[in-house]
Amino acid sequence: MQSYTLNWTQVTEFVMVGFAGVHEARLFFFLLFLTMYLFTLAENLAIILVVGLEHRLWRPMYFFLTHLSCLEILYTSVTVPKMLAGFIGVDGGKNISFAGCLAQLFIFTFLGATECFLLAAMAYDRYVAICMPLHYGALVSWGTCIRLAVACWLVGFLTPILPIYLMSQLTFCGPNIVDHFFCDASPLLALSCSDVTLKETVDFLVSLTVLLVSSTVIAVSYGNIVWTLLHIRSAAERWKAFSTCAAHLTVVSLFYGTLFFMYVRTKVASSINFNKVVSVFYSIVTPMLNPLIYSLRNKEVKGALGRAFSFKSWKRQ
């Protein structure tokens, strides 16, 4: 806990320094992150559009994929525009109010938790499709899909309520420089004049619960999938079954690998610069890669994208 005197002033605004070490190359990084952001928006909007227009993709797996694409759009939009404004020196681009900072942290945590549960729901869908194909229609009906999606969004929304409430009760008396490109919990805790032990403990337990519950569902689902695949005699049939979940497994590995590293810790980040790089990976790079992973490894999505955006299809319209 930091010591402070009686003449402190409550901080009402934070200044996010972002990537202060790249001042001379800020235009390059601005263009790089802007390109990645626009590419992410275009990819995920294309997925949503194609699944909506292509009747052959009106299946549970692609229903969840559209939700994932919506999440990726929102996920990057929470942090990237503000970061870009800071790079080019827009007036007030690096400043954010205390309430705005908490709102950004709430939305970012809400969307991150929702994505964890959504990936778990997608793993369950693959488990039923491969391990219990005869019961797939009954176990993964449209009603079940809608209920799972609503549950993912609802539980994700409830996840940050207690952590953000505790953050709002902390005292910030200066300095107000956030050494990050968005209002993440760890750099904010480093600025607090209050005892942050309870806040750190709650953050750790909430993060651990979300990650363990969702990753357990994923691990159990894929454990059963592997067991089923091992009992398929035909190598071709085995590969065909595995290929339906290869893209999802790749996305899960990328997303959970960085999240476990970033958030399941009891101490304030020890290497801020390294954590910024990891944050860029899961908040910007991964949302950009996910649509590519799903489209490049999925013949149905590639075919639908080709039909939707081919010149002949537009000409017929």
Side-chain angles (χ1 to χ4, degrees):
M1 182 175 70
Q2 301 176 13
S3 60
Y4 58 95
T5 58
L6 293 176
N7 60 349
W8 57 266
T9 302
Q10 176 72 31
V11 170
T12 59
E13 185 178 71
F14 292 105
V15 178
M16 294 183 290
V17 298
F19 298 90
V22 297
H23 181 73
E24 295 182 355
R26 65 185 184 279
L27 182 58
F28 168 76
F29 281 98
F30 169 79
L31 293 175
L32 174 63
F33 288 126
L34 175 61
T35 301
M36 294 171 67
Y37 177 57
L38 294 177
F39 197 49
T40 300
L41 295 182
E43 289 176 310
N44 285 289
L45 285 173
I47 293 290
I48 295 171
L49 178 64
V50 166
V51 173
L53 294 176
E54 184 66 54
H55 289 199
R56 280 171 282 192
L57 298 183
W58 288 5
R59 302 205 302 272
M61 179 171 66
Y62 300 109
F63 170 79
F64 290 122
L65 183 57
T66 58
H67 281 263
L68 183 63
S69 291
C70 289
L71 270 173
E72 304 293 24
I73 291 172
L74 296 173
Y75 203 51
T76 53
S77 297
V78 171
T79 58
V80 176
K82 187 70 175 177
M83 179 183 67
L84 293 175
F87 269 125
I88 59 175
V90 173
D91 188 30
K94 292 187 176 182
N95 298 349
I96 187 169
S97 67
F98 181 71
C101 193
L102 291 184
Q104 186 185 56
L105 180 57
F106 181 95
I107 297 171
F108 190 80
T109 307
F110 153 48
L111 295 174
T114 302
E115 184 159 350
C116 288
F117 295 120
L118 186 61
L119 289 173
M122 295 173 77
Y124 170 74
D125 169 69
R126 292 299 83 205
Y127 155 69
V128 177
I130 294 173
C131 301
M132 294 182 287
L134 297 179
H135 302 283
Y136 183 77
L139 293 176
V140 192
S141 62
W142 280 112
T144 300
C145 290
I146 293 172
R147 285 191 291 271
L148 282 173
V150 170
C152 290
W153 286 93
L154 179 60
V155 177
F157 180 81
L158 295 175
T159 296
I161 290 179
L162 179 58
I164 297 302
Y165 170 75
L166 293 176
M167 182 72 81
S168 69
Q169 301 305 301
L170 297 179
T171 300
F172 295 88
C173 48
N176 67 336
I177 306 299
V178 178
D179 194 5
H180 214 304
F181 62 89
F182 71 96
C183 288
D184 201 5
S186 196
L188 286 177
L189 291 180
L191 299 178
S192 178
C193 307
S194 306
D195 185 353
V196 298
T197 303
L198 176 62
K199 176 68 173 75
E200 284 188 323
T201 303
V202 169
D203 281 356
F204 173 75
L205 292 176
V206 169
S207 300
L208 187 63
T209 300
V210 170
L211 291 175
L212 283 183
V213 169
S214 56
S215 62
T216 297
V217 173
I218 294 171
V220 171
S221 297
Y222 276 105
N224 283 282
I225 288 172
V226 170
W227 179 257
T228 300
L229 293 179
L230 291 176
H231 289 78
I232 297 178
R233 294 183 178 182
S234 171
E237 289 296 320
R238 192 184 307 125
W239 172 251
K240 182 180 178 181
F242 175 75
S243 64
T244 64
C245 55
H248 177 259
L249 190 57
T250 304
V251 169
V252 166
S253 300
L254 290 172
F255 187 73
Y256 277 84
T258 51
L259 281 187
F260 267 112
F261 174 82
M262 283 296 296
Y263 289 112
V264 185
R265 297 165 301 172
T266 57
K267 298 294 181 181
V268 174
S270 57
S271 178
I272 297 296
N273 289 330
F274 187 61
N275 286 336
K276 287 181 190 178
V277 175
V278 178
S279 297
V280 166
F281 190 82
Y282 74 76
S283 63
I284 301 175
V285 177
T286 301
M288 181 186 69
L289 292 178
N290 286 350
L292 288 176
I293 294 170
Y294 273 105
S295 61
L296 291 177
R297 299 186 64 92
N298 191 306
K299 292 182 180 180
E300 289 181 315
V301 175
K302 285 193 292 185
L305 285 169
R307 289 188 295 272
F309 294 100
S310 66
F311 176 76
K312 289 182 180 180
S313 66
W314 288 105
K315 190 175 180 180
R316 284 197 299 269
Q317 294 178 7

